[in-house]
Each structure stands twice: as structure tokens, then as C-alpha cells.
Amino acid sequence: MIATPTTEATELLRRVDDARRARQGEYERFLSDLRPRLSAAADEERRRDRHLAHRFNVFRYLSQDEIGLSRIIADLLDPTAEHGQGASFLEAMLDALPETRGRFGTLDPTAAATGAVRVRTERRTTAGRFIDITVDIPEAEGRFCLAFENKPYAHDLDDQLKDYLEYLGEPDRYGERFLLVYLPPVHRQPAEAALPKVDHERWREHFTIMPYTGGDPSLGDWFATCRGVCSADAVSWFLRHAESFCKQRFGESTMTTNPDTRFIHKYLADNPSHLRAPLAVHDAWRLVSADLCEQFLEHLCQEVEKRLRAEPFGAEPDLRVRCRYDGRRNHHNALWITREAWIRHEDTPSNEDGRTAIKLQSARGGPNGWYWGVSTPKPESRMTEGEKERRAKLVASLRRRGLSLAGKEEDWWPAWEYLPRHRDWDPLVVDLHEECNAGGGPITDYWVDGLLRIAGDGIPAIGGGVGGWE
């Protein structure tokens, strides 16, 4: 016998249903009311931008990858660089770090002006690694080295920081006279694999952390201090943009240059009775964003395949393009270009097809940081001797063909770089959706052109003969 609801239960269900419909109506009215207000605010923003351009930041037009940012930092630290401020910025850095504060006083201006302070980028260690920045500073008893490992985006590599510390601390190099500064996006300790606890403790007097934002000290604060001691207007302008870049790109979620966001913030502050609707939109946005990002990745996959079927790639009928979207998981969103003729590696992860690939992959946290290049299906550290030999031939072939990418060779990647533009999909979701519906657009062209540029050098370098590589 099926039980029928009581009068009280029926009334309760009716009230719940009425409340749900009322909330939905509230959401619809809120969004409908907001649309013309946003349009009016956008018109006002355009009028203001004509004179103020407050959203403009020069770093949008510069290389924001690890190497590009390292070059900017190194140039500012160099007393002989074209900023013309001598050792002022280096002194500000030494004063910002507790481990060096007060140790040097004022650097000898003669030594600084004559190049006695030596700044280098991509300094190769005896183990074949590269320290991002080193600054050799003359002292009475020799030279002190201020070194930087710049990690705004990339993950830490196994034993990386340990190797740097051991290299710098060799008795015939700097001994006790050095400090390694770790530059993560926000304050965090390095990965245990990069600097095991026992080594962290061993080198604790020679290792410190300076995040781009959110630390004491922080790199953004150093830019601000440099601006305070700078006498050149052009350089001060650049330093102000550098400070803003650190805050906008790596922290301070309340800081935004988006006019729509600023308008809605003010609107809700003035109309708190409407808070329920944007909360529901906020909760739904992550799901909507994931759907649209997956749709755009599939759109890219189709566009890349379409272009690969045309010249000059049309003569390679076994070229294969595939993609996978896996939300916010680290390093799990990717697009691969492979050939059936390429040799398969043994014992590869289940998400790889075993072949070297032209690859686009997201970094940590989902589709908000992308890099591309030539990738092997497993790390060099786990390859057989035969696979290592083939990889070495691949690297040599890539160099012969002049494949120039910004990233240093890594375990999985013989050649790679972070995308200089459009790397973060979160603020681009609306544009990505519009390009999917339109069948393309400037963002699609940027990604497809970049992948095909890499494929143009990478495919012939990987080769397709019996030996696997030319």
C-alpha cells in the first residue's frame, strides 16, 4: 500500500516549491536588472580610459615567463645596467633581506660602476643545472654571491635547490659567503623533493624565501622600494607597473582592473538585499567555467587537426591530434600531436600513448597556466639507456632545426615554454565561449599558430624512420 502525503506535508512541499520559484525569480530579476547597468558602466569606463588608462600595464606586452621575469630582476640588480641608478636597487635588495641587511653598508660606488659587481643569468652548475640569477659582490675576503631561483609558475624539480646550495657552497667557490633566494608566487616552502628537510636545516643560514607577493619581504615590496629611491621618471613608471603586476598576477584577490567587477562590487555594497543571487552565480560559475574551458580545448583540437591536414603537413597522413580536459587537477589538461610512425616508449603512464609529442599542457590548478613544446611520454630519469640515447638525438635535432623556446630542458620536456599571452583561461572564459560559437577568433589563432609553429620544427626533428629520430 502506497502512503499518501498528509495535508501538513503537502503544504510544506508547496511552500518549499514556492520559495524555490521565488529565489529563481529573484535571480532572473537581478541579472536582468544588472545587464543595462553594466552596459552604462562600460560606456563610462571607456570615457575615463581615454584620459586615465588605469587598466594599462606594460607587463601585458612583455615576456612574463620565468626567463623574461628573471631578466628584468637581473637588469635592475645590475649597477651598470641602463636604468642609470647605479647600485641603488641592489642595495635595496640587500637591505630587504634579513640575512644580508646591514652587512654591506653602502656598496663601493667605484666597484659598482666599473663592473666589479657581476650579474649573470642562467648560470650553469657543474651538475648541468642553471641558476636563474647570480650576483657576485666584492668583499674584503673574497666575493659574496646573492643567487635567485625564480619560480613564479613552474614546479620544483627533484634535488634542484639542494644542488644549487651545494654548488654555491663548494669551498673553492663561495664557501660560507652566499645566500640563495627562492622566489615563489606566494609565500610557501619549496617542495621536499627539491630541498629535503635535512638539507634545508644544513643550509638554513644560506637560504631564504622572497615571494612575489604576500611575504615580508616580497618582490613587489622591493619594486616599491626601488621606485622610492629612483631618480629617473621613466624607470619609476616601469617599477610602478612591476609592483602592480606582482599584486594582480600573484595575489591580492581584492585588487582588480576589471571595470565590470568594480561596478558589481559597488552595486552589491549599495544593495546588500541582492546578495543571494550573486552567491548562487558564484557557486555555479566554477561548473560553467569548466564546461566552457573543456569546450574550448576541444575546439582547439579540431582547429589544429584541420590545419594539420593542409600543407605543409598534409603529406603526413598518420598525424594524430587528441586532447583531454580534467578540470582543476594539476598537469591533467592537455593536447597532443603525435604520429603513428613514432616509436613508443615502454612503461609509460596510462594517460600517455607512449610516443613523444608536440604538446600543450596546463600546470597546477587547472586551465589557468599553460605551457607547450616537445614532450616525452615519461621522464628522462626513468628511461632505458636506449630511450635516453634517442632523446639525446632528439634534443640535438631540435637544436639543429632552431626550435627556440624560452624554457630550460627538463625531465619530461626536451623543449618547452610558458605561453607569453593568454595563459590564464579563467578571465577569458566569456571570450573562449564566443570564439567556440563563432568558429574561431584572435585567441584561437594565437594558440593554433603557436602549436603549428612548434610542430613545424618538432615533427621533422622527431622524425618517423626506423630509428625514431633523424
Side-chain angles (χ1 to χ4, degrees):
M1 184 177 192
I2 301 175
T4 58
T6 64
T7 303
E8 293 82 359
T10 301
E11 178 63 17
L12 178 61
L13 290 172
R14 185 188 65 76
R15 290 178 181 177
V16 169
D17 197 45
D18 287 347
R20 177 181 57 79
R21 283 197 295 268
R23 284 197 304 272
Q24 291 174 347
E26 177 189 345
Y27 301 160
E28 291 171 359
R29 286 191 298 274
F30 170 77
L31 294 173
S32 177
D33 180 60
L34 205 56
R35 190 177 298 112
R37 292 173 182 266
L38 280 173
S39 178
D43 291 341
E44 177 62 24
E45 189 73 20
R46 282 191 289 272
R47 287 192 290 271
R48 292 179 62 223
D49 269 352
R50 178 80 175 178
H51 303 285
L52 301 177
H54 65 275
R55 290 178 293 159
F56 176 81
N57 190 297
V58 69
F59 275 68
R60 292 182 60 191
Y61 306 96
L62 301 177
S63 176
Q64 299 174 18
D65 60 18
E66 177 185 314
I67 291 180
L69 294 173
S70 292
R71 288 171 178 166
I72 291 171
I73 297 167
D75 194 67
L76 293 172
L77 291 170
D78 189 347
T80 63
E82 294 178 0
H83 54 68
Q85 306 306 297
S88 298
F89 300 158
L90 176 56
E91 288 174 344
M93 176 62 75
L94 294 171
D95 189 56
L97 298 167
E99 295 82 1
T100 59
R101 188 177 299 143
R103 173 172 180 171
F104 296 93
T106 301
L107 291 172
D108 181 351
T110 303
T114 57
V117 176
R118 186 181 182 190
V119 181
R120 285 183 278 182
T121 58
E122 298 294 300
R123 180 172 174 178
R124 188 182 182 93
T125 70
T126 50
R129 295 186 185 270
F130 294 87
I131 303 177
D132 291 318
I133 307 168
T134 59
V135 185
D136 281 15
I137 304 170
E139 288 187 306
E141 63 271 26
R143 297 179 77 81
F144 178 85
C145 181
L146 184 62
F148 297 84
E149 174 55 19
N150 191 18
K151 284 291 183 184
Y153 312 110
H155 59 281
D156 301 324
L157 302 180
D158 290 355
D159 290 331
Q160 185 177 29
L161 296 173
K162 173 188 173 183
D163 288 349
Y164 292 163
L165 290 163
E166 290 180 349
Y167 169 80
L168 295 167
E170 290 176 3
D172 58 349
R173 188 160 286 108
Y174 300 106
E176 296 293 315
R177 300 190 303 278
F178 77 92
L179 178 69
L180 177 61
V181 184
Y182 180 65
L183 303 176
V186 296
H187 193 280
R188 63 172 171 82
Q189 295 293 329
E192 166 73 11
L195 184 61
K197 289 182 180 178
V198 62
D199 295 290
H200 201 160
E201 179 61 26
R202 175 189 172 193
W203 297 106
R204 62 188 177 86
E205 301 293 333
H206 301 277
F207 179 80
T208 193
I209 299 171
M210 176 185 257
Y212 274 73
T213 189
D216 184 18
S218 74
L219 196 65
D221 292 340
W222 174 65
F223 286 134
T225 302
C226 290
R227 181 162 53 87
V229 299
C230 181
S231 301
D233 290 343
V235 181
S236 294
W237 173 82
F238 180 84
L239 291 166
R240 181 180 290 108
H241 283 250
E243 180 187 358
S244 296
F245 168 78
C246 290
K247 294 175 181 178
Q248 293 170 8
R249 182 67 182 85
F250 299 111
E252 295 200 14
S253 59
T254 58
M255 181 176 183
T256 179
T257 60
N258 188 311
D260 291 346
T261 304
R262 291 203 311 273
F263 172 80
I264 292 176
H265 175 233
K266 184 178 185 308
Y267 179 87
L268 291 175
D270 294 338
N271 300 274
S273 62
H274 289 307
L275 288 175
R276 188 187 299 274
L279 176 61
V281 172
H282 174 272
D283 291 344
W285 179 250
R286 197 176 183 90
L287 301 174
V288 173
S289 175
D291 291 343
L292 296 178
C293 288
E294 182 175 13
Q295 181 184 358
F296 185 73
L297 185 61
E298 291 171 351
H299 162 72
L300 277 183
C301 190
Q302 294 168 5
E303 292 302 308
V304 168
E305 184 163 22
K306 187 188 304 180
R307 291 270 299 275
L308 282 174
R309 298 307 169 202
E311 293 295 338
F313 300 103
E316 310 290 353
D318 63 338
L319 281 170
R320 226 179 122 217
V321 186
R322 63 187 180 95
C323 66
R324 178 194 66 222
Y325 187 82
D326 205 359
R328 298 281 167 177
R329 294 182 64 189
N330 294 343
H331 312 291
H332 269 67
N333 303 315
L335 183 152
W336 295 262
I337 303 173
T338 57
R339 283 189 63 192
E340 294 292 336
W342 291 344
I343 291 177
R344 298 183 69 130
H345 289 61
E346 303 171 3
D347 188 28
T348 57
S350 58
N351 61 354
E352 301 284 347
D353 78 346
R355 297 177 176 87
T356 297
I358 312 301
K359 189 174 181 181
L360 167 70
Q361 180 169 300
S362 64
R364 296 185 176 186
N368 51 19
W370 293 85
Y371 49 101
W372 54 20
V374 178
S375 173
T376 52
K378 68 179 180 180
E380 183 179 17
S381 56
R382 287 181 40 221
M383 288 183 177
T384 65
E385 290 305 313
E387 289 169 342
K388 288 180 180 179
E389 183 179 345
R390 293 202 303 274
R391 176 184 165 121
K393 291 179 180 178
L394 168 61
V395 170
S397 183
L398 290 170
R399 288 175 179 168
R400 283 199 308 272
R401 294 180 180 277
L403 184 62
S404 178
L405 296 176
K408 295 169 285 190
E409 180 185 342
E410 289 193 355
D411 218 11
W412 291 80
W413 297 80
W416 69 278
E417 69 175 350
Y418 280 103
L419 272 72
R421 295 170 51 209
H422 303 316
R423 184 165 55 227
D424 187 353
W425 281 12
D426 284 343
L428 297 175
V429 165
V430 176
D431 298 316
L432 303 184
H433 170 64
E434 290 175 351
E435 292 204 5
C436 286
N437 287 342
I443 301 176
T444 301
D445 290 343
Y446 172 77
W447 287 70
V448 174
D449 290 346
L451 282 166
L452 293 180
R453 171 179 59 86
I454 297 170
D457 291 319
I459 288 174
I462 299 170
V466 176
W469 282 272
E470 296 180 348

